[in-house]
Amino acid sequence: MLTLKLPKADGSVEQYSLIGAPTERPNAVPVFNRIAYAAAHVVSDPRAETDPWGRPAIDWEATLAFRHHLWSLGFRIAEAMDTAQRGMGLDWAGAQELIRRSLAEARTVEDADLACGAGTDHLSPLDTRSLDDVIGAYEEQVGFVEKHGGRAVMMASRALARVAKSGEDYARVYGRILSQAKDKVVLHWLGDMFDPQLAGYWGSGGFETALDTVLGIIDANKSKVEGIKISLLDNEREIELRRRLPEGVLCFTGDDFNYAELIEGDGTHFSHALLGIFDAVAPQASKALACLKAGDVETFRSVIEPTVPLSRKIFEAPTQYYKAGVVFLAWLNGHQSHLTMPAGMQSARGVNHYAEIFRLADRARVLDQPELAVTRMSHFMAVSGVS
């Protein structure tokens, strides 16, 4: 039996024994009856970094290898999103290279699919003077994605949140960008728990008013909208949105607290997925989604539901630091050789947080290589002062 010492919230240390077994891999790339995007992280190169806060060095080999891991499990990839630390370690120059490389890599894999985040993060909110500034920034990023053969996820804009005065301002900006898009676009409704600078997005602090605004934008541009990802960590609000969407426009859950029930649906409606947690629990989510397609709802629930407590821990407040937990699990599972993140984001969580992630990952069968995970976790505990 594998054991190691882990700290507890009360300051004591326990001898923890693993109980989980790795989730088996599929023999072939599975097919789902839900569209499932995994928002993938980037891998730093600690030996190349000299200015990790200003110009982080990306390990491109490991970063792209992780995309192959996700494709092999049946996922589409949502590239250069906030899971990849857009605006929190990865700047627009780095995102451009990531988008360019990932699109080229996708062309080497049969049926590989991805959509790329396009926002305004190269435009400082403090330097934004008008809606035209925001429109120009969106046009640059969407244009870059399309020039390289990609489809866009239109990310929420800090700059727009700063200068917009009403829902009409949002309608003007989104209408302009959507009218010019070559392909259908996925919109992104990201709550301020993920990014405090997005408070009051869609021109209102009230959900119902904001919902009316975004539905109006979608209805006016529905021929250019594939769907909308909603990340408010509130399943009732997502259910209200998806109930009111026009026919043919998809709801993508970004709710890392309630995704299991939202993906399963209520018998009338269900959500597709665009989730950061799928980066961390890809084998489990893949198996669950394949079972759902086969009509085996019982196994779907038994596989995916244990990942929800893990996800809630990873995404606990301050939620914007969830990226640390996602990369921590990638390190434990051998997808990268170190725990180094752009901008040093691994320091955003404490040792007790990581210890509880380890326990919950074990219970959810997320530790793919238990011996390696125990070895690495033991080393991490030692350098964290737990002995």
Side-chain angles (χ1 to χ4, degrees):
M1 180 179 292
L2 294 169
T3 63
L4 75 164
K5 291 180 179 179
L6 294 178
K8 299 172 68 174
D10 63 5
S12 63
V13 176
E14 69 170 351
Q15 192 75 20
Y16 180 80
S17 299
L18 274 69
I19 60 173
T23 300
E24 61 276 10
R25 293 294 195 276
N27 295 323
V29 178
V31 177
F32 310 142
N33 60 357
R34 305 288 191 267
I35 297 172
Y37 285 97
H41 73 279
V42 296
V43 179
S44 288
D45 183 350
R47 293 173 294 180
E49 283 191 331
T50 57
D51 182 14
W53 282 17
R55 295 290 300 177
I58 304 301
D59 180 341
W60 293 111
E61 182 178 355
T63 292
L64 294 175
F66 194 81
R67 274 98 184 122
H68 283 271
H69 162 68
L70 295 172
W71 283 321
S72 74
L73 292 167
F75 292 102
R76 300 184 185 188
I77 291 174
E79 188 56 276
M81 303 289 290
D82 56 286
T83 305
Q85 292 184 240
R86 285 289 294 274
M88 295 185 73
L90 185 72
D91 61 11
W92 173 229
Q96 285 177 290
E97 186 169 4
L98 176 61
I99 289 167
R100 196 165 49 234
R101 286 175 179 261
S102 292
L103 286 169
E105 198 73 17
R107 288 191 281 272
T108 71
V109 179
E110 185 178 0
D111 296 327
D113 195 0
L114 75 162
C116 303
T120 67
D121 49 314
H122 63 295
L123 175 65
S124 168
L126 295 177
D127 294 334
T128 305
R129 297 291 178 262
S130 68
L131 296 179
D132 286 335
D133 291 341
V134 178
I135 289 170
Y138 268 129
E139 287 176 335
E140 178 180 339
Q141 294 206 11
V142 173
F144 179 86
V145 170
E146 292 182 339
K147 181 178 74 172
H148 290 276
R151 296 176 292 105
V153 177
M154 193 172 172
M155 299 175 70
S157 167
R158 293 172 176 174
L160 180 55
R162 179 177 176 83
V163 299
K165 304 301 183 185
S166 65
E168 289 76 15
D169 287 345
Y170 284 86
R172 176 187 165 194
V173 172
Y174 276 79
R176 174 76 170 272
I177 301 305
L178 291 170
S179 70
Q180 300 173 148
K182 292 181 180 178
D183 297 306
K184 287 189 174 184
V185 172
V186 175
L187 305 184
H188 191 193
W189 187 347
L190 190 67
D192 58 7
M193 69 288 294
F194 286 92
D195 187 343
Q197 294 186 56
L198 298 177
Y201 210 73
W202 308 116
S204 174
F207 172 72
E208 290 298 334
T209 303
L211 179 60
D212 288 341
T213 297
V214 74
L215 287 171
I217 291 170
I218 291 171
D219 193 59
N221 302 277
K222 56 189 174 185
S223 66
K224 291 294 186 73
V225 178
E226 177 186 359
I228 179 169
K229 175 198 173 182
I230 178 168
S231 302
L232 299 182
L233 304 185
D234 185 325
N235 58 339
E236 293 302 323
R237 290 180 172 183
E238 180 170 324
I239 289 168
E240 178 67 10
L241 167 67
R242 76 185 186 191
R243 183 183 66 81
R244 293 177 59 185
L245 283 174
E247 185 176 356
V249 176
L250 307 178
C251 180
F252 293 92
T253 186
D255 187 336
D256 299 278
F257 281 11
N258 304 293
Y259 53 91
E261 62 189 84
L262 290 164
I263 291 169
E264 180 179 338
D266 57 15
T268 302
H269 300 95
F270 61 82
S271 296
H272 299 277
L274 197 165
L275 287 162
I277 192 59
F278 278 1
D279 177 297
V281 300
Q284 296 70 42
S286 175
K287 179 179 178 179
L289 289 167
C291 290
L292 186 63
K293 182 180 186 301
D296 186 355
V297 176
E298 182 177 348
T299 302
F300 166 81
R301 292 172 180 168
S302 70
V303 173
I304 203 166
E305 286 178 357
T307 70
V308 173
L310 169 64
S311 186
R312 291 186 175 191
K313 184 64 181 180
I314 289 173
F315 284 81
E316 72 180 0
T319 302
Q320 65 265 34
Y321 299 141
Y322 76 87
K323 305 160 188 71
V326 168
V327 176
F328 184 70
L329 286 172
W331 172 62
L332 290 180
N333 284 328
H335 293 292
Q336 53 197 75
S337 61
H338 57 85
L339 182 58
T340 304
M341 299 176 64
M345 183 66 71
Q346 69 275 5
S347 66
R349 298 295 201 185
V351 64
N352 287 343
H353 177 86
Y354 286 124
E356 188 60 15
I357 285 177
F358 186 93
R359 295 184 185 96
L360 293 169
D362 174 38
R363 295 168 197 164
R365 300 180 61 191
V366 170
L367 299 179
D368 296 335
Q369 302 181 63
E371 294 85 358
L372 176 65
V374 167
T375 297
R376 290 187 168 182
M377 190 65 175
S378 296
H379 291 162
F380 181 77
M381 290 293 106
V383 300
S384 300
V386 178
S387 61

